[in-house]
Amino acid sequence: MGVEPQQGGASRQRLLFESQEDAPRPETAGTGRTYAGIIEEWQATAALDRKRALAPERYLMEAICDRENLNRAYKRVKANRGAPGVDGMTVGDLFAWLAGHRDELLASLLNGTYQPQPVRGVEIPKPGGGVRQLGVPTVVDRLVQQAILQVLEPLLDPTFSDSSYGFRPRRSAHDALKQAQEYVAEGRRIVVDMDLEKFFDRVNHDILMSRLARRIGDKRLLAIVRRFLEAGMMQEGVCVARHEGTPQGGPLSPLLSNLLLDDLDQELERRGHKFCRYADDCNIYVRSQAAGERVLASITAFLEGKLHLKVNRQKSAVAFTQERKFLGHRLLAGGKLGIAPASLKRAKGKIRQITRRNRGISLDRMIRELNSFLTGWVTYFRHAQCRSHLASLEGWIRRKLRCVRLKQRKRAKSIADFLHSLGVPRSRAWTTAACGKGWWRMAASPAAHEAMTPTWFKTQGLVSLTDRYLAFNR
């Protein structure tokens, strides 16, 4: 599985998984295999191929174990890298492990006995407070999940709603926002903002598996997927059994979550609602507050009664679109986009972390880290009406960096010499350097602004948010 160079720098390459075309021919069969026996094997294979052609949904494990599919899965897992699971195996160790366990792995998949290992529990902070529980599968389990995903996704994804955008091929958050803009521009200025409480931790296994069994008939695959759902979670050396939930972190989780929530999409479409769903973030657009209240009550009953999910009543609401956020944005009057205040607050928090004055790194490195974050951030919000916000944010960032640069000079003479070298008259440079004010106030002084201008920051390599934003919106 996957093409890897042999040791010693040799140019020859080998494949861990081979296709049926690579099997020995009758005339070259090894000792112990008769011509008649091999013909019988070929006939059995041909019979299986006919069955797969007539009922492909019942023979998906053969497609999962196909050489090309496994090679693609291996390459994807290797490219994604990721942390080791409970067994400590790294992505770099995977090829050597597969070389010694290939046949055993294939046999367990084809006969449906493959047994996943527990996932490693990891908690990360959530932007709005609290923690999010992640589950890190072992590298081998990630490989198997990826191989399953590559076969199931082409079967399941085309059946999903056009109003579902999260974790789907050739769909993005910007597509969801564009659709939401159209609904608001049509006059649907009230949004029913549904928040599912700990969605990934509360997925009901029986309901999810029943939805999957409607689409596929390979009982071996169904059994393996169920084992992935029920695999324990290792936390602080203790393996905790799981009877619900599909922890975020495995390749299969997004597809399975979309499969479960497709019931919600179908119900909303049956009722004729206009909505956008991105994973478990669902916004329904209506024309009046009263209609919104009715929709919130009825959909809450549907989610909790039929799918056994919990709606967070404190975070769910019916309000004007500009009062709520969707994928980090606000939907303004006429369908225009703005940046949600919470998104600006999170961005400032990240910038504060990067520009901490006690980090002990060079200004060049700090600017490189800032550029990496700011470039992606402004690219994501490129469709929002936010030029004034970006100009204000840029000024604040430059003050943070002036503060860092002045502190790095430490002593009054060094600060005065630095300011003077950038064109500030020496008397004014000394007045600023010896003022005794804190670094933050000193960074806002006229001398600091005169020395470290926006042009100077450009020469240091700092990206301009407004320039990049205007380039996107010409």
Side-chain angles (χ1 to χ4, degrees):
M1 177 175 4
V3 179
E4 292 280 347
Q6 291 186 347
Q7 298 295 326
S11 60
R12 291 183 61 193
Q13 294 179 325
R14 64 181 185 268
L15 289 170
L16 278 176
F17 287 91
E18 300 176 348
S19 64
Q20 292 180 354
E21 290 77 6
D22 299 316
R25 300 290 180 184
E27 60 271 16
T28 60
T31 304
R33 299 186 69 202
T34 65
Y35 183 91
I38 293 175
I39 290 297
E40 186 177 341
E41 290 178 17
W42 280 9
Q43 290 173 341
T45 300
L48 177 60
D49 288 343
R50 287 193 296 272
K51 291 179 181 179
R52 290 173 61 187
L54 293 173
E57 72 282 355
R58 295 181 59 188
Y59 295 93
L60 293 177
M61 285 309 305
E62 281 72 19
I64 290 166
C65 293
D66 178 74
R67 178 190 65 173
E68 292 185 3
N69 185 60
L70 289 168
N71 284 339
R72 280 198 299 127
Y74 172 79
K75 291 175 183 177
R76 185 62 180 268
V77 169
K78 188 175 180 182
N80 289 344
R81 303 179 69 85
V86 295
D87 60 356
M89 183 188 299
T90 66
V91 173
D93 300 329
L94 180 58
F95 187 83
W97 185 92
L98 290 171
H101 298 82
R102 175 189 62 183
D103 295 340
E104 175 188 343
L105 175 62
L106 281 174
S108 66
L109 291 173
L110 288 171
N111 62 27
T113 61
Y114 180 80
Q115 186 65 52
Q117 295 191 60
V119 298
R120 181 167 63 87
V122 177
E123 291 184 343
I124 62 171
K126 294 173 67 173
V131 295
R132 176 177 285 115
Q133 179 70 61
L134 300 184
V136 182
T138 65
V139 177
V140 176
D141 285 344
R142 295 207 295 270
L143 171 73
V144 174
Q145 286 195 36
Q146 182 64 36
I148 293 173
L149 173 68
Q150 290 168 180
V151 171
L152 288 186
E153 189 171 65
L155 296 175
L156 301 181
D157 188 80
T159 69
F160 293 157
S161 168
D162 287 339
S163 296
S164 167
Y165 294 90
F167 308 116
R168 297 185 62 187
R170 297 173 296 279
R171 285 173 170 252
S172 68
H174 289 124
D175 294 326
L177 289 165
K178 183 179 179 181
Q179 183 63 74
Q181 285 181 271
E182 293 178 7
Y183 291 150
V184 176
E186 292 171 0
R188 295 177 174 85
R189 297 184 57 193
I190 302 295
V191 61
V192 182
D193 189 357
M194 305 287 298
D195 185 90
L196 296 178
E197 188 176 297
K198 296 183 178 180
F199 166 71
F200 285 93
D201 297 334
R202 295 183 182 274
V203 169
N204 183 284
H205 292 173
D206 291 335
I207 295 176
L208 175 57
M209 291 306 303
S210 71
R211 302 308 185 264
L212 186 59
R214 291 176 185 172
R215 317 287 184 99
I216 66 174
D218 193 322
K219 294 183 179 180
R220 299 165 297 173
L221 177 54
L222 291 172
I224 290 173
V225 171
R226 179 118 199 176
R227 291 189 199 113
F228 273 120
L229 291 174
E230 295 176 346
M233 180 173 290
M234 190 71 72
Q235 292 178 301
E236 299 179 355
V238 178
C239 186
V240 180
R242 290 191 297 121
H243 305 289
E244 63 178 5
T246 169
Q248 299 177 74
L252 265 180
S253 291
L255 179 66
L256 295 178
S257 66
N258 275 332
L259 175 62
L260 180 65
L261 289 175
D262 189 55
D263 273 23
L264 169 63
D265 299 340
Q266 291 180 22
E267 180 67 13
L268 291 171
E269 288 178 347
R270 187 184 67 81
R271 300 184 185 188
H273 291 308
K274 305 297 184 181
F275 68 98
C276 292
R277 183 176 65 78
Y278 194 94
D280 59 333
D281 194 354
C282 183
N283 278 6
I284 307 164
Y285 298 92
V286 296
R287 296 182 184 275
S288 70
Q289 184 76 18
E293 298 290 351
R294 289 195 300 270
V295 170
L296 178 59
S298 61
I299 295 301
T300 296
F302 173 83
L303 287 167
E304 296 184 344
K306 187 169 183 179
L307 297 184
H308 294 188
L309 298 172
K310 178 70 173 176
V311 174
N312 190 324
R313 287 167 170 75
Q314 283 69 43
K315 293 185 178 180
S316 299
V318 178
F320 284 102
T321 55
Q322 60 264 35
E323 297 174 6
R324 307 295 293 180
K325 66 181 178 69
F326 182 50
L327 301 176
H329 292 72
R330 286 194 307 154
L331 284 155
L332 308 175
K336 295 181 180 179
L337 289 177
I339 300 180
S343 298
L344 282 171
K345 184 178 179 180
R346 284 198 297 271
K348 282 195 166 187
K350 179 65 175 178
I351 293 167
R352 286 191 182 96
Q353 291 179 5
I354 296 173
T355 59
R356 290 197 315 272
R357 298 194 294 273
N358 60 355
R359 290 191 66 196
I361 63 173
S362 67
L363 186 67
D364 286 344
R365 178 180 168 184
M366 191 173 288
I367 287 176
R368 287 197 300 271
E369 292 183 16
L370 267 177
N371 287 347
S372 178
F373 168 72
L374 294 174
T375 300
W377 188 82
V378 74
T379 300
Y380 180 73
F381 288 103
R382 64 186 181 273
H383 299 308
Q385 306 291 313
C386 59
R387 184 174 177 180
S388 61
H389 288 303
L390 295 181
S392 175
L393 186 61
E394 276 191 311
W396 181 74
I397 291 171
R398 287 193 294 268
R399 183 174 177 183
K400 296 283 288 182
L401 292 176
R402 289 187 189 103
C403 196
V404 170
R405 193 69 188 97
L406 291 172
K407 186 176 185 294
Q408 287 176 343
R409 304 302 295 190
K410 296 182 180 179
R411 301 182 182 278
K413 183 179 184 306
S414 179
I415 294 172
D417 291 343
F418 171 69
L419 295 175
H420 180 62
S421 71
L422 294 177
V424 179
R426 183 166 292 278
S427 60
R428 289 180 55 224
W430 265 106
T431 299
T432 300
C435 69
K437 296 178 181 178
W439 301 112
W440 183 245
R441 292 184 64 187
M442 191 185 299
S445 66
H449 276 263
E450 184 178 341
M452 292 175 278
T453 63
T455 301
W456 182 81
F457 279 110
K458 283 187 177 181
T459 64
Q460 304 304 304
L462 181 66
V463 299
S464 169
L465 294 176
T466 52
D467 285 352
R468 292 189 68 85
Y469 175 76
L470 292 174
F472 283 125
N473 292 279
R474 284 174 182 166

